[in-house]
Structures are given as structure tokens and as C-alpha cells.
Amino acid sequence: MPELPEVEVVRRYLDEHLPGSRIESVDVKLPRLLKNASPEAFKTALKGQVFAAVRRKGKYLVLGLDGPKSLLVHLRMTGRLVWKADPGARLPPYTRIVFQLSKGVLAYGDVRTLGELWLIPSQGLSGVPGFDALGPDALDPKLTAEGFARALRAGRSSVKAFLLNQRNLAGVGNIYADEALFLAGIRPERPCAAVSAQEAESLFKTVRQVFETSIESGGTTFRDFLDGSGREGGNAANLYVYGREGKPCRVCGTAIELTHIAGRGTRFCPKCQS
DNA sequence: TGGGCTGTTGCAAG
DNA sequence: ACTTGCAACAGCCC
């Protein structure tokens, strides 16, 4: 579920509420979610620490702490981070880790338990391979459409697989890859080398467009996504192709098709995309 | 009922 | 070196 827009929606909410709050206690109900610490080491490192800024790169969240260690979180498919002002608030279903804070309570919930948490140094490289190897964040202001187009056209995979590879561009997942390709008029199975410079630049813009629209709408809740306050996002209503197979294209009326590319269910309009 | 699907990604295998 | 396929997990929907 959570791709860049959903993670950003959560980040913004947590960044409003966590900084300045001290961790009073940590309850780890499912230790295997901790990827580089035992529950004991995890608690020892975090207890008494004070939250600083909440940052994001791609689909990763960094919950900054004032001390030497910070908390890195990846929500994978069904992870959720929810903060409640009332420490006695009812926690979301499938809560796996609970942080009691000097102000409120932070809960990590996860149905499928594929999410991951790490302790990382507050400064310098994290030592987490997937995080350190990320390409530039898709919303990084230093990125240009020209630079993206150059990299894309040098790729050897399908254009969809290129978008999903976090080493190329961090933050795009299955929903927004299909949405951006639809708006750019490009079939997802097209080889990168067969994408023109103009099309590639257009794709860069549509990636940002679908991201910005979704963030403004609170993210896409297709199944499980909840924002940092536990509410659903409103962006599902804006989708053109994801989850719409068999339904008429919102632009031309042709039935949206479903296929498999790069191992992922892939939706596209056979008339609008070529 | 149960098999196949699901928003991610690291690894193995080609 | 690069790409694809599957496993990790649990719930939902035909």
C-alpha cells in the first residue's frame, strides 16, 4: 500500500506531533519486525530519547531522535504508524509495537507483518543496504526531467520495471507507476530504449503530478492504508487505471486491461497508451 | 472450502 | 551486470 504519497502523508502528521516528545516505554509484541536489534537492545536504545524531525526518503521513514540513534521504518505492504494524543486511546488492529510517549502514544500496526524497523546512526550512512542504495527521491527538487529521461532511456528493462526499481527513482510503487504511465500515454511493457526523450520527460512530470494530487488527497486507501491519525486517504477516487480493470477508461471509454509485467499486476488503457 | 490475489523488496537463478 | 520470479506473511474475495 504505502508508496511515496502515503508515506509522505504519514510523515507530515508525525512531524507535527512527535518532535519534542520523550519515549517513556516500548512494548515490542512481535520481535521479528526489528531487523538489527533484539527487543532488549531496542528498548535500551530508545527509552528516554526525545524525538526530533521526521524525514522521508522514497518509502522509508526516519523518525529522528536527539540521541546517537534514530529509528528507520519501512511499512512494506500493510504497515501503519499511528499517533494518538490520548495515551489510553484504543490502538489500531494488529498493533505490533507500542511507544508510550511523554505526549501521546505511537503505535506500529501491521497485518501481514512484512514491515521492518531498524536502529540507525542519527548521522551518516544507515548501514541498511536497501536504504543506502536508494536512488534520488522522486520529489527531490534537484532532479530534472532531462536527467530522469537520460537515465530512463539507458535502461534495459520495461519502462514499468524501471519505475519500480528504487535505485533509479525512490518512491514509485505499483499503483502510481500505472497511473503515471497512463497519463503519459506510455504502455507499461514498452522497453526503456523505445521511449523518446519527450515521452520520458512527460513521464517524469506525470509521476510528480500523481504524487502531488495524492498527497493533497491524503493518499490512496485501496485496502489497508491509514494515515498517521488512523484515517483513510481520499485518493482512490482520482485513480485512472489502478483497480479499474474491465471498467471504461475515464478518458476514452475503452475497457481498462489487466496484464502482468515485472511480476506485478499492471493496468492500462489499450487506446490511450501506446 | 480453498486457491489465488494483494500496495514491497531481497534474494536466487537465469 | 541485469532482469525476472519467488518467498516472506496474513487476510480477503471469488
Side-chain angles (χ1 to χ4, degrees):
Chain A
M1 142 197 33
E3 304 179 31
L4 185 150
E6 290 73 39
V7 179
E8 176 62 15
V9 165
V10 172
R11 186 201 70 75
R12 291 182 184 184
Y13 180 82
L14 295 181
D15 196 48
E16 284 176 21
H17 295 286
L18 293 186
S21 201
R22 190 176 61 250
I23 300 175
E24 307 284 17
S25 68
V26 182
D27 180 10
V28 180
K29 300 172 187 298
L30 189 59
R32 65 179 161 76
L33 299 180
L34 308 181
K35 297 304 163 178
N36 66 354
S38 66
E40 294 72 28
F42 190 74
K43 290 177 201 176
T44 302
L46 295 182
K47 209 168 162 184
Q49 299 296 311
V50 175
F51 278 110
V54 181
R55 305 190 309 279
R56 178 192 61 72
K57 183 166 186 186
K59 304 170 193 173
Y60 287 81
L61 274 176
V62 181
L63 308 193
L65 293 163
D66 282 346
K69 295 286 188 183
S70 288
L71 185 57
L72 179 67
V73 182
H74 195 300
L75 304 174
R76 289 284 188 132
M77 301 283 263
T78 54
R80 296 165 171 171
L81 270 174
V82 173
W83 179 87
K84 299 276 190 186
D86 174 6
R90 192 149 53 92
L91 296 176
Y94 308 102
T95 290
R96 312 297 188 183
I97 301 175
V98 182
F99 304 85
Q100 291 291 346
L101 311 179
S102 56
K103 186 178 152 218
V105 56
L106 177 67
Y108 177 81
D110 198 336
V111 176
R112 287 172 69 181
T113 72
L114 297 173
E116 302 177 299
L117 296 89
W118 301 261
L119 287 176
I120 60 168
S122 295
Q123 308 290 336
L125 279 185
S126 74
V128 176
F131 182 65
D132 291 337
L134 284 179
D137 186 81
L139 296 184
D140 184 338
K142 292 194 291 290
L143 276 181
T144 63
E146 293 74 19
F148 172 81
R150 210 174 308 121
L152 174 77
R153 281 155 53 75
R156 282 170 227 206
S157 62
S158 65
V159 60
K160 170 141 183 184
F162 182 91
L163 285 176
L164 292 177
N165 186 342
Q166 303 298 299
R167 291 164 170 267
N168 297 326
L169 189 69
V172 182
N174 203 37
I175 293 179
Y176 298 102
D178 284 2
E179 293 297 308
L181 286 164
F182 170 81
L183 289 176
I186 302 169
R187 292 236 186 165
E189 75 271 22
R190 185 126 54 101
C192 287
V195 176
S196 74
Q198 192 177 10
E199 285 175 316
E201 290 180 27
S202 166
L203 179 59
F204 179 74
K205 289 170 188 159
T206 61
V207 165
R208 289 199 160 171
Q209 180 187 331
V210 295
F211 278 178
E212 282 158 15
T213 299
S214 181
I215 291 168
E216 286 167 17
S217 303
T220 299
T221 298
F222 196 76
R223 222 175 250 110
D224 301 301
F225 173 68
L226 297 181
D227 68 18
S229 68
R231 282 198 294 269
E232 297 189 350
N235 193 61
N238 299 328
L239 299 178
Y240 284 92
V241 290
Y242 186 84
R244 300 197 67 250
E245 55 270 27
K247 295 182 180 165
C249 171
R250 290 169 55 189
V251 172
C252 77
T254 305
I256 299 300
E257 292 187 9
L258 168 63
T259 181
H260 272 80
I261 297 169
R264 312 296 304 278
T266 297
R267 286 82 176 172
F268 67 99
C269 172
K271 185 167 176 203
C272 294
Q273 294 170 259
S274 59

